Structure formats: structure tokens, C-alpha cells
Amino acid sequence: MRKDVRILLVGEPKVGKTSLIMSLVSEEFPDEVPLRAEEITIPADVTPERVPTHIVDYSEAEQSDEQLYQEISKANVICIVYSVNNKKSIEKVTSHWIPLINDRTDKDSRVPLILVGNKSDLVEHSSMETILPIMNQYQDIETCVECSAKNLKNISELFYYAQKAVLHPTGPLYCPEEKELKPSCIKALTRIFKVSDLDNDGVLNDNELNFFQRTCFNTPLAPQALEDVKNVVRRNMTDGVKDNGLTLKGFLFLHTLFIQRGRHETTWTVLRRFGYDDDLELTQEYLFPLIKIPPDCTTELNHNAYLFLQSVFDKHDKDRDCALSPEEVKDLFKVFPYMPWGPDVNNTVCTNDQGWITYQGYLSQWTLTTYLDVQRSLEYLGYLGYSIIYEQESQAAAITVTRNKRIDLQKKQTQRSVFRCNVLGTRGSGKSGFLQAFLGKNLQRQRRIREDHKSFYAINTTYVYGQEKYLLLHEVMPDFDFLSEADLACDVVCLVYDVNNPRSFEYCAKVYKQYFIDSKTPCVVIAAKSDLHEVRQHYSLSPQDFCRKHKLHPPQPFTCNTTEAVNKDIYTRLTTMAMYPHMAQADLKNSTFWLRASVGATVCAVLGFAMYRALLKQR
């Protein structure tokens, strides 16, 4: 909403423009009227909308045409004043003033107009019969007010309507010719309806209507008032109320009714509460609230954010199979202006046998977005209405900014839940297979992935000492000469080589010596495709000897060419190393350390499966 309002009064000489302003300020008709009143400012605390209002007079005798044009360009609303007892001044409204104003304003952002019939004390009849055809002809005219500066009749109302035309304009909402809401308004109100429909059953029940009312107007509706609202809808349309709840058609009808009855401030209050600006676009302030992220800190979703996302998943998982079908995903993102997830997401997170994103995969994708691009995550949460549903100041309340990684190293413990592992290796070494195996896909399933649906990321949960953590794998493109800061910034590094390719290990060795030999980032060497015949690597040292020389763990054999589920122990090991980098060269060599971590993971996985089944039964 605007921070202030600038009202300009124009019209023929002697119609009473200056008298109107002076009568408003002094609350009495002036004995002497100057040629032009000085610009006045009405403080916010004495205006109905609590917005400072500037009122500007125009005098043909004192001002040039150029000065008039400047005032028109600065005005937020223009009052065209005519005298109800002067036919010529009424004719000038259409022959001079409206064309002049239209010529001086941009067609796409026309200034709202108020027609003001002054000197109503001098006649017994109304001028509205003459004015109505003019109002129907010009869309920019918001309303017409007949008043009297001498009798102080409708003076305050005049300036209230002028202020209202700026702060609550009809133009973006409603088409008077068609007598219906404009498409952009329908689109915005439809999103608001879907966000408010907490159980996604297509109607707003009494609880949802009360929550909506309290959210927008800070007060619930009494039970009788709720029934009265629904009865108004019932009387006017057959499908506006269903199962004693308000349908989308009924919701849109109510807003049409508000606007037709001159209560468009009601609709604007709703739109602005849900983040919309005067052009019915979600504001940048709403979508991208300020959040400070110091260097070496990461971003994660907090507990409330996960609860909210769980509720969003539940209300769209119509068949209760703990996975989102393509239709359910499409329904979930109807409140977005675009589809945020492409087909690569299905190869970034866990899916079921049909290739549908599971509940765990859904949360993983949100975790990935928040970690990699927190601004995008804030935007998405804004579309879903997080701050409204959870009654928070902004979506920033959903984000936890972790402490500096250096402090974690000093204290030898971390509070983070998401850890990044960059996976490096030559082309064809098995990096993609390593990522997909983390999502439970063996080689047979991986071969069905289309080239344009592949992903360079994979994220899933692992368990370390009974704690659920997210491990994010990122496949780095093999460009030895240039590895960016993003390629190097991670919690643990995976160097992958193909045991069946004699030239594969050399890249891993060179990358390690160039970028990681003096780094505090733990490194693991993966001997991929271990089901194939192992050949001698064309490098001065064998992979085993290289690891021994640089005090790295021996190469970890890995294959995804199996009919059974791929062994996940290596991923638990990577997460553990990321959580405890200070122990990478000490305790991590101890086999009992790995055993404890892996047993913890197995126990948690079993418990997790039991809880999953219990949840399924409840739902």
C-alpha cells in the first residue's frame, strides 16, 4: 500500500475548488477565497486510512499549462470539480479535462478520477442523471460526489473517496462493463482460496473461514454471521456453497459483491494480507524477506518449516500412499506462477517404484533448495503461504542459519543437519551411478533415466549415532584446470575412479594433490564398478599405495550393478566424516567407530520403517 496520497483538484474557474479545500481545513465556509490555496498536508493520524494526504489546488489565473502538467504527473488521484448549476462546467469535464489528463498520463497506469459536483446548495435537483453516462463512458472515473463547500455537505466524504481511490482502486479488481472480476484478480483470489483451504477439499469450512477472517481482519466471525454470509451466497448462486462450506465460486462471488457495493477495501485488505501489491503481483518484500547469511554458514529448514511442509504434503496426497503422483504434484504447485520442479527432481530424491516422489524425497528436495538457494526457498514458502498459516512475520522464520564452520571445527561438534559431499572423477568413472545408488536405484533402474532428466545432485537421509542427517551429493564436472570455489566448498570429498579403466585413477590423484592435500576437508577414494575386473592403473602409485602415502582410507569398493538394494554403508561413512572432520585421520580409521555408526544407522532405519508404517495406518 502507498506511503502517502497526493490529491489534485482541477476544473473551470469559479467552480469552488479552493473553497472545498478551505472548508475541509477550517470546517467552515471562508469569507474570502484566494485565487489558489496553498498545498496542505493532512497528517496520517487524522485520516481514515492512516496515510498522510497532500491536497493540491490548481488555478488557471496563477499557474501555467506546464505547471498544470507537472502536477498531473505527480498526482495519485485527480478530482475534476464542476458546478452543478453550471452546464458549461459539466461539458468541460469531457471536452477538456478528461482528454487533457489522459494525454498527460501513461495509458497503462492511468490516474483514478473523481467527479465532484460542487454548489449543491444552489439547486434542488441532482446532476447525476447527466453525470452517469460520463461515468459509464470512462473507466478511469472511480465515483462521483455531489457536495457543497458552503454547507460543508459531503466535504470529508469527497476527500475520503479520493484517498480510497488511490489506496483501494477499483481498476485492477473489477471490470464495470462486464460486471465481473478481472482475470488477474481472479488468479490472486484463487491462490488465496487454495492457501486457506487447509484440508484441500475444495471448500472453506467454518474453521477455515474463521481462520481466514482472523488472519485478514483480526477477528473471527460469530456462528450466525457465518451462516448469514453463506445464505447470501446460496440466494445468488447454486454452487457457491457445498457441504455447508464456501466453494471457490462462492468466494469469488462474495468479493464481486463487496466491490459492487463500494466495499473494495475489503478485497484489498485480503489481497495485501496475502502479499499482493497494487498491480496484483506478490511483492518482493513478501517473497524475499531479508535474511543475513554470514560467510561459512549454511541455511537449513527449522522444525516448524518441516511441520508446515508435512501438512502441505498431507493435504495433497489424496490417495494416502505417502507419495505424490504427477497430478498431485501439479495440484500442489497450483499456487505458484510456474512449475518449480522439473523432471530432474525425480532423479535427485527418493521415488517409489512408479517413479513418484515419496514423502522423504519431498522433504529432501525442500532441504536441497534451502541449502543451495535459500532465496528460492523463501519464494516457494511465500507462494504456499507459510508466514500466513503459521502466523509469522515472514518466511525467514522458517530458516535456520548455521554457525560458522570454523567454530564447529574448534568445538569439535556440529549442530548442522545437512552435509555436502562433492563427487569428483573423470567422465565414465561412475559418479552418476554413485549418486543414483544413494537414492536406492541399481544399475538396471539407472539405465531407464533419460539423458535430459539427469541430475547432478542427490540428497537423502542417513543415520549417524541415531541422529537423522541429510547428505547432499554433488557431481562435479571433470575440469581439472578450473575447479571453482563452489566445486571445492563442501564437508567431505569423494574421489571416484573406475577399476576397469587404467587411466581413471590419475585424475583423482592429481585433483587431490592440487586442491585437497593441505585442506582440512576429509577425502574418500571410491573404487567404482568393483563388480568388473580390476586393472592396473597407469599412475606411478597404485590407488592403495597412494592412499597409504597420503594417510587416506583404502579405496572403498563400490558397485550399483546388483539385483539387490545397494549397500548404503559408504554414505553413512561419508556423513560421519562430514560431521566429525577432526576425527578423519584418527578415530575414523578405527573399524569399531564405523561399526558403531553403521549399527546406529541400521537401528534407525528399522525404527523409521516401523514409524512410516504406523503413519500410513493412521492416515
Side-chain angles (χ1 to χ4, degrees):
M1 194 161 72
R2 294 193 63 85
K3 301 272 192 298
D4 62 356
V5 173
R6 190 174 181 85
I7 303 171
L8 172 65
L9 275 69
V10 299
E12 295 300 293
K14 307 293 184 183
V15 293
K17 302 184 295 295
T18 307
S19 299
L20 287 169
I21 296 172
M22 297 185 75
S23 293
L24 174 74
V25 174
S26 62
E27 296 186 345
E28 62 180 6
F29 187 68
D31 294 329
E32 293 184 11
V33 181
L35 287 174
R36 176 173 174 264
E38 293 295 322
E39 179 180 328
I40 65 164
T41 298
I42 303 174
D45 56 356
V46 296
T47 64
E49 298 291 344
R50 301 286 172 182
V51 175
T53 302
H54 312 281
I55 302 175
V56 181
D57 194 7
Y58 164 70
S59 169
E60 186 179 322
E62 286 204 348
Q63 291 173 285
S64 65
D65 287 348
E66 190 57 42
Q67 287 174 309
L68 171 62
Y69 302 154
Q70 288 177 6
E71 289 297 347
I72 289 173
S73 67
K74 291 191 288 185
N76 303 126
V77 57
I78 298 175
C79 296
I80 304 176
V81 185
Y82 64 91
S83 176
V84 294
N85 67 341
N86 184 333
K87 191 175 180 182
K88 186 179 179 183
S89 71
I90 298 175
E91 291 172 353
K92 282 282 190 174
V93 170
T94 53
S95 65
H96 176 68
W97 289 108
I98 293 179
L100 173 71
I101 292 165
N102 285 345
D103 285 345
R104 295 289 159 181
T105 52
D106 184 38
K107 188 178 180 181
D108 295 327
S109 55
R110 287 279 166 81
V111 180
L113 305 177
I114 307 284
L115 300 186
V116 181
N118 193 22
K119 305 186 181 182
S120 64
D121 58 292
L122 297 180
V123 295
E124 294 182 359
H125 64 275
S126 170
S127 64
M128 292 307 291
E129 191 174 325
T130 309
I131 294 300
L132 276 173
I134 299 174
M135 292 180 67
N136 290 331
Q137 184 180 353
Y138 295 97
Q139 293 183 31
D140 302 325
I141 299 174
E142 287 282 323
T143 190
C144 176
V145 182
E146 289 193 342
C147 58
S148 169
K150 188 172 185 178
N151 292 348
L152 306 182
K153 177 188 174 186
N154 286 343
I155 304 299
S156 296
E157 287 81 355
L158 155 64
F159 291 101
Y160 168 68
Y161 283 125
Q163 192 183 58
K164 186 175 169 181
V166 177
L167 302 176
H168 310 298
T170 309
L173 306 181
Y174 185 74
C175 180
E177 290 84 6
E178 304 293 334
K179 292 184 172 54
E180 60 184 30
L181 299 174
K182 288 188 173 178
S184 57
C185 182
I186 292 173
K187 183 180 176 182
L189 290 173
T190 300
R191 171 184 164 264
I192 291 169
F193 179 90
K194 279 197 66 73
V195 168
S196 304
D197 183 12
L198 301 177
D199 57 9
N200 199 34
D201 64 350
V203 298
L204 299 183
N205 59 37
D206 286 359
N207 287 335
E208 290 165 342
L209 280 170
N210 254 321
F211 180 80
F212 170 81
Q213 175 75 13
R214 196 171 67 250
T215 297
C216 296
F217 305 103
N218 298 317
T219 178
L221 283 172
Q224 187 56 51
L226 271 174
E227 281 308 307
D228 291 344
V229 167
K230 285 184 275 191
N231 285 333
V232 168
V233 176
R234 285 189 186 102
R235 284 196 297 270
N236 286 274
M237 60 194 317
T238 55
D239 50 357
V241 176
K242 179 184 173 185
D243 300 330
N244 203 36
L246 196 65
T247 66
L248 174 60
K249 284 187 177 180
F251 184 72
L252 295 175
F253 166 76
L254 279 179
H255 285 283
T256 306
L257 198 62
F258 292 145
I259 294 164
Q260 289 173 342
R261 293 183 177 178
R263 289 176 53 198
H264 32 294
E265 66 271 17
T266 303
T267 298
W268 275 115
T269 299
V270 171
L271 289 163
R272 287 180 176 131
R273 178 66 185 90
F274 278 78
Y276 289 93
D277 63 14
D278 291 352
D279 298 318
L280 297 186
E281 298 287 345
L282 289 170
T283 67
Q284 293 295 295
E285 292 79 11
Y286 172 78
L287 289 177
F288 305 104
L290 287 175
I291 182 169
K292 292 184 178 178
I293 307 165
D296 288 329
C297 298
T298 58
T299 44
E300 300 178 359
L301 294 165
N302 60 29
H303 179 65
N304 279 341
Y306 280 117
L307 288 178
F308 170 74
L309 291 169
Q310 179 182 340
S311 71
V312 172
F313 181 95
D314 286 344
K315 85 176 194 177
H316 290 93
D317 182 19
K318 292 287 192 181
D319 53 10
R320 298 291 184 260
D321 63 348
C322 287
L324 295 176
S325 69
E327 291 74 24
E328 288 168 343
V329 170
K330 189 176 179 181
D331 184 44
L332 190 154
F333 290 126
K334 276 184 180 175
V335 294
F336 285 56
Y338 57 88
M339 173 57 74
W341 291 0
D344 60 313
V345 172
N346 295 61
N347 299 309
T348 303
V349 300
C350 290
T351 57
N352 63 11
D353 291 338
Q354 293 167 284
W356 298 352
I357 297 169
T358 63
Y359 170 69
Q360 185 56 55
Y362 162 85
L363 293 182
S364 295
Q365 179 62 25
W366 278 98
T367 303
L368 172 77
T369 305
T370 305
Y371 184 93
L372 294 179
D373 188 352
V374 70
Q375 292 297 322
R376 186 62 58 90
S377 190
L378 290 170
E379 178 191 357
Y380 291 174
L381 288 168
Y383 293 137
L384 291 172
Y386 172 81
S387 61
I388 294 157
I389 302 300
Y390 267 52
E391 301 180 60
Q392 300 287 341
E393 188 175 335
S394 75
Q395 295 89 264
I399 306 299
T400 295
V401 179
T402 64
R403 70 185 180 190
N404 191 299
K405 190 176 175 182
R406 286 197 299 272
I407 298 174
D408 284 354
L409 289 170
Q410 290 167 7
K411 293 183 176 290
K412 297 184 178 181
Q413 60 180 3
T414 183
Q415 298 167 329
R416 289 189 295 152
S417 297
V418 186
F419 299 92
R420 176 170 178 153
C421 171
N422 284 354
V423 182
L424 296 95
T426 58
R427 293 184 190 279
S429 60
K431 301 188 299 297
S432 298
F434 186 72
L435 266 67
Q436 291 303 309
F438 187 34
L439 307 178
K441 298 177 181 178
N442 60 22
L443 190 61
Q444 188 177 0
R445 284 185 65 187
Q446 291 178 30
R447 283 172 174 159
R448 295 199 290 265
I449 300 172
R450 285 173 45 175
E451 189 66 31
D452 56 339
H453 291 182
K454 286 186 176 179
S455 172
F456 292 106
Y457 291 95
I459 184 169
N460 200 355
T461 52
T462 61
Y463 290 89
V464 177
Y465 292 129
Q467 299 178 66
E468 184 184 64
K469 301 294 179 182
Y470 282 95
L471 179 64
L472 163 59
L473 302 180
H474 172 46
E475 180 181 342
V476 178
M477 296 304 291
D479 185 354
F480 176 76
D481 295 325
F482 179 74
L483 289 178
S484 67
E485 286 188 21
D487 296 333
L488 302 174
C490 58
D491 301 299
V492 61
V493 173
C494 238
L495 299 169
V496 181
Y497 75 97
D498 176 359
V499 299
N500 193 239
N501 180 351
R503 300 188 180 278
S504 184
F505 180 72
E506 182 181 14
Y507 177 85
C508 296
K510 286 185 176 180
V511 164
Y512 177 79
K513 290 168 72 176
Q514 177 75 22
Y515 297 104
F516 298 108
I517 194 167
D518 296 321
S519 166
K520 292 183 179 178
T521 306
C523 295
V524 176
V525 176
I526 303 294
K529 307 182 186 180
S530 59
D531 57 300
L532 301 178
H533 173 65
E534 183 171 1
V535 299
R536 184 176 179 278
Q537 294 293 318
H538 293 179
Y539 187 68
S540 57
L541 293 172
S542 70
Q544 291 79 3
D545 290 340
F546 181 89
C547 290
R548 193 179 302 115
K549 177 182 177 181
H550 295 285
K551 298 181 179 178
L552 298 172
H553 298 291
Q556 306 294 304
F558 178 85
T559 181
C560 52
N561 188 12
T562 172
T563 55
E564 302 172 1
V566 179
N567 191 312
K568 298 288 185 72
D569 286 352
I570 184 60
Y571 304 107
T572 302
R573 186 171 295 196
L574 289 169
T575 312
T576 310
M577 293 178 76
M579 287 178 68
Y580 305 105
H582 59 283
M583 301 168 70
Q585 303 303 327
D587 291 352
L588 292 183
K589 292 183 178 178
N590 189 328
S591 59
T592 59
F593 180 87
W594 291 118
L595 186 62
R596 293 198 303 271
S598 298
V599 168
T602 304
V603 170
C604 285
V606 171
L607 287 172
F609 183 70
M611 291 175 68
Y612 179 86
R613 291 179 63 184
L615 177 67
L616 199 59
K617 284 181 181 178
Q618 286 177 8
R619 294 170 57 183

